[in-house]
Amino acid sequence: MKVFSIAMWVLTVILALVPIWAWRMLNSLWLRPKRLERVLRAQGLQGDTYKLFVDNTKQFYMLKMQQEAKSKSIGLSNIDVAPQVFSPVHQTVSKYGKNSFLWEGTTPKVIITDPTQTKQVFNNMQDFTKPELNPFVRFFSTGLTQYEGEKWAKHRKIINPAFQLEKLKNMLPAFSQSCNDMISKWKGTLSSDGTSEIDVWPFLQNLTCDVISRAAFGSSYAEGTKIFQLLKRQGYLLMTAKHTHIPMWWLLPTTTNRRMKEIESDIRDSLEAIIKKREKATMNGETTTSDDLLGLLLESNQFENQGRENGKTLGMTRQEVIEECRLFYLAGQETTSDLLVWTMVLLGKYPEWQARARQEVLQVFGNQNPNFDGLSRLKIVIMILYEVLRLYPPTVYFNRALQKAVKLGNLSLPAGVLVSLPILLIHQDHDIWGDDAKEFKPERFSEGIAKATKGQVSFFPFGWGPRICIGQNFALLEAKIVLSLLLQNFSFELSPAYAHVPTTLLSLQPKHGAHIILRKL
């Protein structure tokens, strides 16, 4: 009798919960998306009609077509890479215009291309927050880039001193040493006539990894290489993983999931070992340099930890320091290697700009290693780098989420929608940049960014506003040094074997590498 009573009670609870579950599912899968769609259409925004389940199939075929397109060279004369690497947003804008939206599962994503609205999104970070990430994607986006509110402000304050130009100035020897090591390897490949054909992409990736190891951690190359290789392996597993759209997928005991967690543990252990070694040396009174990013970060964090508020330290925990170190590796390596490879590709295509940049470098530095004061006088070099970032930004879009209803220009956006800032489309918008928007013309930056953009927020490869990338000075300084040293030692052109297939993995990269013919000067 007692067992029967318990069974009846359980059945009663289940029957009571089923309608609640059914209502929530109905609201999540149909009522809420259709309500948001009506609100957006009432304001003149256009997009595909939300259809339950149908869109998943449509997205599958879209992704399949996109992958097939990525395997084919589009030719370097076709600088408009947006249709290839950015097809969902590009197709939506092509079909419905700039005032449009698309669906990401059950959530509408509003496309924002107006510079005034873009500025508002970047400035009002409390209203436009970072979207919640897939748990595995968080492996690549922890740290400052994903924090909000007070935690973001605290980490930004602690990290900021390490990226000030005066501090970065002390890292120039590490930049030059890493690049000169790579140049020595390239010279070793030269034939008797002083030429060589190589894929420069893996070399540039290893170069920026080495720079991070030297400049950020002062660690041995072996330690740096290990972390770099683990991050690459983890990134590959994430980008090739299937069924990531399935709820709670990351909890399943699949081979990929187990391997991801093992790599994650290895990365944390390696970073923690580097940090512990530095802290132990400091405690033992050993002389350690604070000129590298880790030293500066620990120094700044120690200063914050000297103060207490309500019994709590104001600095970062050991785990938080580890997360920021991982971000140094990932962001510092990816961004600069992308910028360098696309710069070499475009200067290989446009030898007149390569010659102008070389002439400037030789006038400023001769054949000596670049120095800090001279780098600020490289006007043509920085024009080229800005134009490369305009056409091939490392990140092709920024997404933001609305937790509450927000007024954005003439739009009243409801809570629950996403906002997408398509960097590639804005950087190449004819209405903003003119009829030559898709052409490589560094001269558009001859009087600086403000003049080129007419004071609008239409050029933001490193973001904009309060959350602008804290490492942009690091990346540009490294790029200027590397490009200067390359121009001092080689002239280069694209190989006939080069296939122009820009693709997005963690960032915008050449799918089949960058085959370049080098000539020793």
Side-chain angles (χ1 to χ4, degrees), residues 348-367:
K349 173 68 175 178
Y350 299 96
E352 66 278 10
W353 278 103
Q354 183 183 152
R356 290 180 63 180
R358 181 177 296 104
Q359 182 181 16
E360 179 182 65
V361 167
L362 293 176
Q363 284 177 347
V364 174
F365 302 121
N367 289 314

Side-chain angles (χ1 to χ4, degrees), residues 476-490:
L476 288 173
L477 199 63
E478 181 183 353
K480 285 195 282 187
I481 289 175
V482 172
L483 184 57
S484 296
L485 289 169
L486 292 180
L487 291 169
Q488 287 174 335
N489 286 274
F490 304 102

